[in-house]
Amino acid sequence: MTAVRTGPAFSVHDIPFSTYGSWFDISPVVAEKTYAEDLHLVSHQNGMHAVLRLVPLDPAAGERVETRVEATPGLLSWAGASGRVDLAYESPDTVRLRGNGLGFGVFAAAQTLTPFSGTYFFHDPAADAHIFTSYETGRRYRVTVLSGTLAATAGAQALGSADRGVAVTAEADGTWEIAVEELDTARPPYKSSVTFDDIMKSAEGAFRDFVDAVAPWRSSATPAAELAAYVVWSATVAPTGLVTRPAVLMSKHWMDKVWSWDHCFNALALAPGSPRLALDQFHLPFDHQDAAGALPDSVTHSEVLHNFVKPPIHGWAFGHLRRRLLTAPSQAELAAAYGRLTRWTDFWLTARRAPGTELAYYQHGNDSGWDNATTFDPERVVVTADLAAFLILQLHELADLATELNRRDEADRWTRTAEEIQTALLDQLWTGDRFVARGAETGDTWSSASLLDLMPIVLGEHLPGGISSALADRIKAHLTPYGLATEPPTSPHYLPDGYWRGPIWAPATVLVEDGLRRAGHHRLADDISARFRALCETHGFAENFDALTGTGLRDRAYTWTASSYLLLAQAHAHRDGH
């Protein structure tokens, strides 16, 4: 009964096992930085919640046994000395499990049931199945025995504190199978004529189709491309709740949201091979654009947060997105994007510019996406050069779109505004060798060692040559063997796991690399790309990385990191003629 595996192997301690469209995963990660001994079914509806504990059992004694967990995109297995258990997704809301030589337990993760929390458990005679109902997710989890026997049940209809769940063991042929479904209130009893092997092959085929579409250029020179594609594919959820479109979550660990700049990098990576999904990623936060034109800070299944915003990189992103799409967007699609980008830009030019000033400001480091960067140490309500640069690029994109939509007067207005902001940026924040930040209320100026101060390199071809060269020289000082440190290790403020005060981040890498390349600094851009790609190939796709050791930090399965690798790897492959 040993399954033949295909696709990249990975550790479920780093990357959760899931499938495209599913709102749950199988993982030992049950909360932020919290690892359980057993794998759990973890749902991301109404937040991240470990619902079911999945336990391989000794078939005779009924006790937990030690196993080795193995994972590839289509198959998850517990391998023990006396047998194995395999799990595969039949559909986004259903997994099938098959065992031989081992029993298996499916238990409620939470022992305590209150009127407002926990998991209630009972046998449903209509479906002849056992049901777990979760207060936290608001969903039900149904276990149906397809073959084998129920060795034990515990806690059916129990209130208060109790062990709840079922254990299954084999019949005479030594095998058993069960199905576990996530559902709303009810559905017909589970039935399937599809064999486990067919389910596994279908799951593997779905992933293979995806990776062939988004990374057809992969080769031995881009060895992490398939695993990067799996991170993105498996973190994609179906439209549900406040998620209006198929959405690539940042992770199916605890960073299970769509933040309003992270999504841009996923859109770009998907564009050539999965254009509809790419456009959905770009537009999803705009579906929640408020009356002022602002994008939300983040979107997830059951909440949309507006307490902060994120930087306006969307003009930069949409320009690249259009060029990466193999079929040009229609006039209607361009008009829709133009309207949304117009409102987003007007928000910054009205609600985020003090009267009589040309340059916009952030209200907190969170607005910049670089939450605790040292740029924000003196003050938080700050005029910064990166914000001006992003707005300039967005204004240029609006001008291009207006031209394509035959709105010449609007195109001229956007171009004039871009020129006015660039003039103000250079007059007010460039000192001759560096950019400074300015308090929006105090008028005080200062510089920092943060890479954020160098982000105007994103202006690329729009920058005077002397300024781009000065920025490039300063960027070199942030290079470690693994890539661009957000705060140089020589800084007194450097912290190895300091979020934006040292670690290497994917979005900063992609933005800087692109700006350098467009400004003509190809050798430095190549170096940055090579170091980041090597980092991912060695240390995976973490939220960020220790700049001196390369160790992955925080959430270890972050999609914008995987997408950034795909972007840089594809560009490298094309430059090398692969």
Side-chain angles (χ1 to χ4, degrees):
M1 198 189 72
T2 301
V4 178
R5 296 173 176 277
T6 63
F10 58 91
S11 168
V12 291
H13 278 75
D14 292 335
I15 300 170
F17 182 77
S18 192
T19 195
Y20 184 100
S22 181
W23 277 90
F24 68 82
D25 62 80
I26 311 298
S27 172
V29 181
V30 296
E32 182 176 354
K33 302 179 184 177
T34 303
Y35 291 77
E37 184 178 24
D38 292 309
L39 298 189
H40 283 64
L41 184 152
V42 181
S43 178
H44 298 273
Q45 300 199 60
N46 291 323
M48 180 188 185
H49 303 288
V51 181
L52 302 178
R53 183 165 56 94
L54 308 176
V55 188
L57 301 172
D58 181 285
E63 297 176 349
R64 183 183 185 278
V65 295
E66 291 297 324
T67 56
R68 180 182 69 258
V69 175
E70 303 168 343
T72 54
L75 186 68
L76 175 71
S77 301
W78 293 258
S82 60
R84 64 184 294 113
V85 176
D86 295 321
L87 179 152
Y89 276 84
E90 181 175 0
S91 68
D93 64 13
T94 302
V95 291
R96 281 266 291 270
L97 294 95
R98 176 182 67 180
N100 181 25
L102 293 175
F104 200 76
V106 181
F107 305 110
Q111 275 202 322
T112 301
L113 175 66
T114 78
F116 305 104
S117 65
T119 304
Y120 175 59
F121 175 65
F122 62 97
H123 178 261
D124 180 14
D128 191 21
H130 286 81
I131 307 277
F132 299 84
T133 70
S134 168
Y135 273 105
E136 282 71 25
T137 70
R139 300 300 182 275
R140 297 167 182 240
Y141 302 83
R142 186 168 72 181
V143 180
T144 303
V145 177
L146 307 179
S147 66
T149 61
L150 278 176
T153 63
Q157 301 186 45
L159 305 178
S161 292
D163 291 325
R164 298 173 174 85
V166 299
V168 63
T169 192
E171 293 179 331
D173 68 354
T175 65
W176 56 262
E177 284 197 41
I178 62 175
V180 181
E181 305 164 86
E182 183 177 56
L183 58 137
D184 293 339
T185 305
R187 64 173 57 161
Y190 176 87
K191 294 186 186 304
S192 176
S193 60
V194 182
T195 68
F196 185 92
D197 287 337
D198 287 341
I199 288 169
M200 180 186 69
K201 290 175 184 175
S202 177
E204 291 171 343
F207 171 67
R208 183 62 49 192
D209 290 345
F210 180 85
V211 72
D212 284 346
V214 302
W217 40 262
R218 65 193 186 280
S219 70
S220 59
T222 56
E226 288 198 4
L227 191 55
Y230 175 75
V231 170
V232 175
W233 178 80
S234 64
T236 305
V237 295
T240 305
L242 296 170
V243 174
T244 50
R245 304 162 182 262
V248 180
L249 303 179
M250 291 313 105
S251 175
K252 279 185 181 168
H253 287 325
W254 60 87
M255 299 295 280
D256 55 354
K257 297 185 177 185
V258 176
W259 276 270
S260 290
W261 70 310
D262 310 45
H263 68 111
C264 291
F265 300 91
N266 289 332
L268 292 178
L270 291 166
S274 188
R276 185 66 263 166
L277 185 61
L279 288 166
D280 282 335
Q281 300 325 293
F282 180 80
H283 281 290
L284 192 149
F286 286 94
D287 292 346
H288 298 279
Q289 199 166 16
D290 70 12
L295 297 185
D297 185 39
S298 62
V299 178
T300 191
H301 171 271
S302 52
E303 70 173 18
V304 177
L305 299 182
H306 286 279
N307 52 327
F308 294 105
V309 294
K310 284 293 176 276
I313 68 167
H314 302 82
W316 168 86
F318 193 69
H320 279 290
L321 180 61
R322 289 201 290 147
R323 289 185 286 274
R324 290 178 61 78
L325 292 169
L326 300 184
T327 301
S330 67
Q331 288 287 292
E333 290 172 323
L334 292 179
Y338 177 75
R340 291 178 155 197
L341 285 171
T342 294
R343 293 180 59 217
W344 178 220
T345 306
D346 285 341
F347 162 78
W348 288 99
L349 299 181
T350 54
R352 290 298 181 89
R353 287 203 295 191
T357 63
E358 295 88 2
L359 299 178
Y361 59 84
Y362 294 128
Q363 294 176 342
H364 186 279
N366 289 0
D367 284 346
S368 74
W370 295 52
D371 309 4
N372 66 335
T374 52
T375 301
F376 300 99
D377 281 358
E379 299 179 32
R380 258 60 64 197
V381 183
V382 179
V383 175
T384 63
D386 70 293
L387 175 53
F390 292 140
L391 281 172
I392 291 164
L393 292 179
Q394 192 149 294
L395 288 159
H396 283 303
E397 178 62 18
L398 283 170
D400 288 345
L401 287 169
T403 299
E404 289 192 42
L405 294 168
N406 200 29
R407 304 180 187 185
R408 301 292 181 181
D409 291 345
E410 294 176 30
D412 292 343
R413 175 167 59 86
W414 295 126
T415 299
R416 285 195 304 273
T417 306
E419 292 170 350
E420 290 165 1
I421 292 177
Q422 180 153 336
T423 297
L425 168 65
L426 301 183
D427 288 349
Q428 299 175 29
L429 299 184
W430 178 251
T431 65
D433 66 346
R434 66 172 65 213
F435 284 104
V436 296
R438 185 180 71 224
E441 293 185 285
T442 65
D444 295 342
T445 60
W446 61 88
S447 62
S448 79
S450 176
L451 183 65
L452 183 63
D453 290 8
L454 307 178
M455 290 306 291
I457 193 65
V458 298
L459 285 170
E461 69 277 16
H462 301 290
L463 278 174
I467 292 178
S468 75
S469 294
L471 291 176
D473 287 342
R474 290 189 176 275
I475 287 166
K476 291 175 188 175
H478 286 258
L479 272 175
T480 75
Y482 301 97
L484 288 171
T486 46
E487 184 82 9
T490 54
S491 166
H493 304 294
Y494 174 84
L495 295 170
D497 187 10
Y499 225 49
W500 294 93
R501 301 170 82 93
I504 295 165
W505 285 79
T509 301
V510 169
L511 287 162
V512 168
E513 192 267 358
D514 174 66
L516 286 168
R517 202 171 293 285
R518 289 187 293 107
H521 301 282
H522 296 285
R523 183 174 298 178
L524 180 56
D526 287 344
D527 189 11
I528 290 169
S529 172
R531 295 188 198 206
F532 185 80
R533 286 183 281 110
L535 173 66
C536 292
E537 289 159 5
T538 304
H539 294 282
F541 306 104
E543 184 178 356
N544 53 72
F545 302 86
D546 186 306
L548 297 180
T549 68
T551 301
L553 302 172
R554 310 292 176 115
D555 193 312
R556 298 296 299 273
Y558 216 77
T559 55
W560 76 354
T561 308
S563 287
S564 294
Y565 175 83
L566 292 171
L567 283 167
L568 295 174
Q570 180 189 24
H572 168 69
H574 288 169
R575 283 194 299 274
D576 273 17
H578 295 301

